[in-house]
Amino acid sequence: MSEEKLSFQAEVSKLLEIVVHSLYSNKEIFLRELISNASDACDRLRYAALTQSDLLDGDGLFRITVTPDKEARTITVSDNGIGMNRDDLVENLGTIARSGTADFVSRLTGDAKKDVSLIGQFGVGFYSAFMVADHVEVATRKAGEAVGWRWVSDGKGEFVVSEDAEAPRGARITLRLRDGEDEFLEPERLRKIVKTYSDHIAIPVMLGDETLNAASALWTRSKSEITPEQYKEFYHHVAHAFDDPWMTLHYKAEGAIEYTGLLFVPGQKPFDIFNPDRKQHVKLYVKRVFITDDCSELLPPWLRFLRGVVDSADLPLNISREMLQHNPLLAKIRTGLVKRVLSELKRKAEDAPEDYQTFWKTFGDVFKEGLYEDFERRADILELCRFRTTVSDQPVSLAEIVGRMKEGQEGLPTITGDDAEALRKSPQLEGYLARGIEVLLLTDPIDEFWVRAVGDYQGKPFRNVAEGSADLEKVAVQPKEGEEKPEAAPADEIANLVAALKIALGDEVKDVRASVRLTESPVCLVAEEGDMSIHLERLMRQHRQGASGLKPRRILEINPHHALIRGMAARAGEDGAADLLADSAHLLLDQARIVEGEPPADPAAFARRLASVMRKGLPA
Ligand code: ADP
Ligand code: MG
């Protein structure tokens, strides 16, 4: 019979290398992985058979069987699920099909310790068999197909696929154990492993005649009968995840529509959360039958970090995935789920604010997408958001920030950028800091978008401090002890300087004006109200969107109290002032750009002007 020898995808080889050599601390989880896959395979066949009952071939009693063979030193895990054909085998057991793989593998360092912890988050699924086995054989036949297949590998770069006339429907996975792994041949050990990791599996896991697990869907059991460990193991299975859930929410909705939800908020950020598909990941069941893990109607994208299952008896069993679109019952379930998740998060935020910070740091940036996508829930979402500010390093709520607003303060000032520490030093903040006004430091790319969409919080408008006018006049400056604020240049001199700078800079700026927001720095750039912020412009450039067209000109603000500006203002009334001040004007503008993290407009001219000004400053 013809055999095909194929190579593992490079990423798989790398993964296998680590799996085998890094001495994973709990190798026993290989069994959990194989049982988890077998259970998924049974779920998938059960669903397919709803519309195509002949796929079952008279065998609809799903089961998973674990068989140790002491003589041959093998352990076999078999199921009568959906099975795989040749192409499935090559695709599923030769590559890592999941999105984001390249990125993940690129983070593997070659340092065994670090890699193991990374893989711990990622999971190696089927490939974990090679932790205990030096030879793995899969005999499988796909439901509805006549020909069976065999996949064989020693986990070293290659695998062999061939036809297998004997293979029954489903999959039979046989591991030849490595030396020293004989413990996995002991029924007592196997019993314990299954009980620990796979008790929640809804399909019977058999050892001979004995059923090792409870074999009922976990979410149908009552909460009081489920231990935290069982919830955790179920989470591992349903989410294909390997961390501890941060929050577990298990409830039964009764009333207009009935369903059970068992939802988890992961403890760690899934590596593919920013995949462009923005898919949600909660699985839909109808009367305990798995329907789909790809139902975009079930939850909005901004809750895509949730994992778990929703099971409803009200949806028809023979529902096709197409019928799920625009289904009014499903829309009701979705509304119910969103409401429930938000109220649970709210409870956490109130009862365990420190713990809530963990959630916020992990998923806040995803969650905030709801602010512009879910108009109806906006107010609830906003209450749950947390922000770093000039006053607080720990993210705080808007309610707290509002509670500290200063006398005369009307809006909630924000500043956007890449890095909170850099933002703290922004010249645009100076006037706010001098008045003790708290400014929100917004550093997630998403922040550029929701702030505009949302507009205000409880009637207090968000205001970007680097945009428009500063509205600071009504708030008193808090005098710093022992520090005199230097005099401002006289208004007429400032007017002369503004005029001279405008002539010198021409089209390079939109406007020049005296600043109220500066107290220390001589100059800064601001965007005109309604224009794209400087940070957003940079973000768009990084993503190569609308490269050249988007270059709004900026307003240059000057600080009338600054010694340099006062000096320049004093001479701005002289004849030919614009020429005299031309180099300084450009240097001021470039300086303002540099503080924004932007390069000077013309680096060569910048260097020439700087050299010239420095030379003039030298004692003769
Ligand atoms: P995951 O379960 O996270 O998808 P695995 O590495 O555990 O990743 O499995 C890879 C794929 O191989 C599965 O998604 C499935 O398509 C296929 N597979 C594994 N075991 C079986 C099985 N017993 N029956 C059918 N397909 C299987
Ligand atoms: Mg798996």
Side-chain angles (χ1 to χ4, degrees):
M1 188 168 299
S2 75
E3 284 190 346
E4 256 185 292
K5 193 179 246 181
L6 296 159
S7 295
F8 286 117
Q9 183 192 26
E11 284 87 345
V12 175
S13 285
K14 198 165 168 188
L15 216 59
L16 280 169
E17 182 96 350
I18 297 164
V19 166
V20 173
H21 293 292
S22 63
L23 298 177
Y24 227 59
S25 57
N26 53 340
K27 295 182 187 176
E28 62 198 33
I29 59 115
F30 81 89
L31 192 56
R32 162 185 86 183
E33 294 305 311
L34 298 182
I35 290 174
S36 171
N37 287 347
S39 160
D40 286 347
C42 294
D43 270 356
R44 275 157 53 209
L45 177 55
R46 180 154 41 200
Y47 172 74
L50 288 175
T51 47
Q52 222 186 320
S53 58
D54 54 336
L55 286 179
L56 292 176
D57 243 346
D59 178 14
L61 273 182
F62 292 106
R63 65 199 171 277
I64 300 164
T65 311
V66 181
T67 316
D69 181 336
K70 278 196 179 168
E71 233 150 84
R73 297 191 62 256
T74 61
I75 172 165
T76 301
V77 178
S78 51
D79 66 73
N80 56 347
I82 195 146
M84 286 176 273
N85 59 24
R86 184 223 163 254
D87 291 350
D88 293 337
L89 277 173
V90 173
E91 169 77 14
N92 298 332
L93 308 185
T95 65
I96 308 171
R98 273 178 286 171
S99 50
T101 313
D103 173 53
F104 168 76
V105 172
S106 74
R107 275 154 45 202
L108 296 179
T109 55
D111 172 340
K113 262 196 195 145
K114 282 189 200 146
D115 288 348
V116 164
S117 86
L118 266 178
I119 286 176
Q121 297 169 34
F122 176 79
V124 282
F126 170 81
Y127 303 112
S128 64
F130 288 99
M131 294 194 294
V132 297
D134 53 16
H135 180 92
V136 176
E137 187 177 300
V138 181
T140 175
R141 185 164 61 80
K142 190 162 186 167
E145 296 190 9
V147 185
W149 294 89
R150 180 177 296 254
W151 177 106
V152 181
S153 178
D154 61 4
K156 293 190 188 123
E158 289 171 338
F159 58 95
V160 172
V161 178
S162 57
E163 268 188 38
D164 180 345
E166 314 283 282
R169 184 195 83 211
R172 189 181 65 220
I173 296 159
T174 303
L175 319 190
R176 195 178 70 203
L177 294 175
R178 292 177 191 277
D179 286 342
E181 305 295 350
D182 292 40
E183 57 181 296
F184 299 115
L185 297 168
E186 298 300 333
E188 198 38 52
R189 182 86 169 96
L190 295 172
R191 231 174 247 129
K192 205 154 166 229
I193 299 174
V194 172
K195 210 58 198 158
T196 307
Y197 298 107
S198 309
D199 190 60
H200 60 81
I201 295 283
I203 289 160
V205 180
M206 317 286 299
L207 182 75
D209 295 334
E210 186 188 353
T211 306
L212 300 181
N213 61 335
S216 69
L218 187 84
W219 62 90
T220 62
R221 304 182 207 167
S222 89
K223 275 165 98 163
S224 59
E225 286 165 22
I226 307 174
T227 65
E229 282 69 33
Q230 284 172 326
Y231 275 128
K232 182 170 118 183
E233 285 309 327
F234 179 74
Y235 162 72
H236 288 163
H237 165 66
V238 77
H240 297 241
F242 302 85
D243 54 340
D244 288 358
W246 174 77
M247 181 174 99
T248 302
L249 173 57
H250 185 189
Y251 72 102
K252 204 171 156 135
E254 275 155 352
I257 178 151
E258 290 188 9
Y259 65 90
T260 299
L262 175 47
L263 304 175
F264 301 92
V265 176
Q268 285 176 348
K269 201 169 195 151
F271 65 91
D272 56 356
I273 193 109
F274 286 113
N275 224 38
D277 64 19
R278 303 173 77 231
K279 252 158 100 162
Q280 76 84 16
H281 288 276
V282 171
K283 297 185 179 187
L284 179 67
Y285 282 68
V286 173
K287 301 187 185 73
R288 260 157 271 169
V289 176
F290 169 71
I291 303 292
T292 176
D293 54 6
D294 189 13
C295 175
S296 60
E297 314 283 308
L298 194 56
L299 280 168
W302 55 275
L303 288 177
R304 65 186 177 277
F305 52 83
L306 290 171
R307 299 292 187 270
V309 304
V310 168
D311 188 350
S312 174
D314 289 344
L315 291 166
L317 240 189
N318 61 359
I319 195 161
S320 69
R321 287 175 192 155
E322 295 71 47
M323 280 164 67
L324 291 170
Q325 284 171 18
H326 314 296
N327 181 301
L329 289 178
L330 203 57
K332 280 199 182 123
I333 295 180
R334 173 188 172 120
T335 308
L337 288 170
V338 171
K339 206 167 146 187
R340 191 64 190 238
V341 169
L342 288 179
S343 74
E344 202 61 23
L345 287 173
K346 183 165 179 228
R347 213 167 56 90
K348 275 272 201 185
E350 282 164 6
D351 298 353
E354 272 192 25
D355 197 20
Y356 186 75
Q357 295 279 354
T358 312
F359 162 75
W360 187 255
K361 283 174 188 157
T362 318
F363 292 118
D365 49 356
V366 182
F367 188 77
K368 276 188 282 187
E369 293 172 12
L371 287 172
Y372 68 83
E373 284 187 353
D374 205 321
F375 184 76
E376 275 172 55
R377 295 272 156 217
R378 186 177 279 172
D380 299 325
I381 298 172
L382 208 50
E383 287 302 343
L384 287 167
C385 288
R386 296 291 180 270
F387 302 96
R388 291 223 267 166
T389 73
T390 45
V391 172
S392 173
D393 234 352
Q394 280 293 330
V396 290
S397 68
L398 289 171
E400 198 170 328
I401 296 168
V402 166
R404 304 197 265 254
M405 281 174 78
K406 292 282 177 261
E407 177 88 37
Q409 182 187 344
E410 281 160 7
L412 292 171
T414 66
I415 185 165
T416 55
D418 305 325
D419 171 70
E421 285 329 298
L423 282 182
R424 281 177 200 287
K425 299 181 192 126
S426 297
Q428 290 92 342
L429 283 186
E430 292 169 0
Y432 296 84
L433 294 178
R435 289 167 176 80
I437 296 176
E438 187 165 15
V439 179
L440 282 71
L441 305 173
L442 303 179
T443 51
D444 293 321
I446 186 81
D447 293 325
E448 285 286 353
F449 303 98
W450 70 259
V451 175
R452 274 163 211 270
V454 171
D456 73 281
Y457 170 72
Q458 293 186 351
K460 316 273 186 300
F462 293 108
R463 293 219 175 107
N464 190 330
V465 302
E467 185 186 317
S469 57
D471 108 54
L472 282 167
E473 286 87 348
K474 290 186 194 155
V475 187
V477 174
Q478 298 178 338
K480 276 197 216 157
E481 204 142 333
E483 234 179 78
E484 279 295 315
K485 191 177 174 187
E487 282 289 305
D492 58 332
E493 288 185 8
I494 286 295
N496 289 340
L497 179 57
V498 165
L501 291 177
K502 277 187 192 171
I503 294 169
L505 295 174
D507 270 354
E508 291 175 58
V509 292
K510 197 165 209 169
D511 199 4
V512 179
R513 67 187 180 210
S515 184
V516 272
R517 69 190 102 211
L518 292 173
T519 61
E520 316 274 328
S521 307
V523 285
C524 71
L525 285 175
V526 297
E528 184 163 54
E529 185 109 45
D531 271 358
M532 186 188 304
S533 75
I534 296 167
H535 175 239
L536 179 57
E537 185 192 333
R538 185 159 56 234
L539 282 180
M540 305 280 265
R541 222 183 310 127
Q542 279 160 3
H543 293 96
R544 295 173 191 286
Q545 282 169 351
S548 61
L550 301 165
K551 264 216 152 287
R553 286 176 303 143
R554 304 303 181 188
I555 297 166
L556 182 70
E557 288 199 352
I558 57 173
N559 178 2
H561 295 275
H562 194 280
L564 172 60
I565 299 297
R566 280 188 301 159
M568 287 173 76
R571 306 198 49 188
E574 294 172 13
D575 276 350
D579 284 342
L580 192 73
L581 295 175
D583 275 353
S584 307
H586 280 99
L587 284 173
L588 280 178
L589 176 58
D590 280 335
Q591 183 179 353
R593 290 174 56 89
I594 290 168
V595 173
E596 287 305 319
E598 296 288 311
D602 176 349
F606 170 73
R608 184 177 46 72
R609 288 179 182 125
L610 186 61
S612 145
V613 167
M614 284 167 79
R615 188 179 47 77
K616 281 182 200 152
L618 287 177

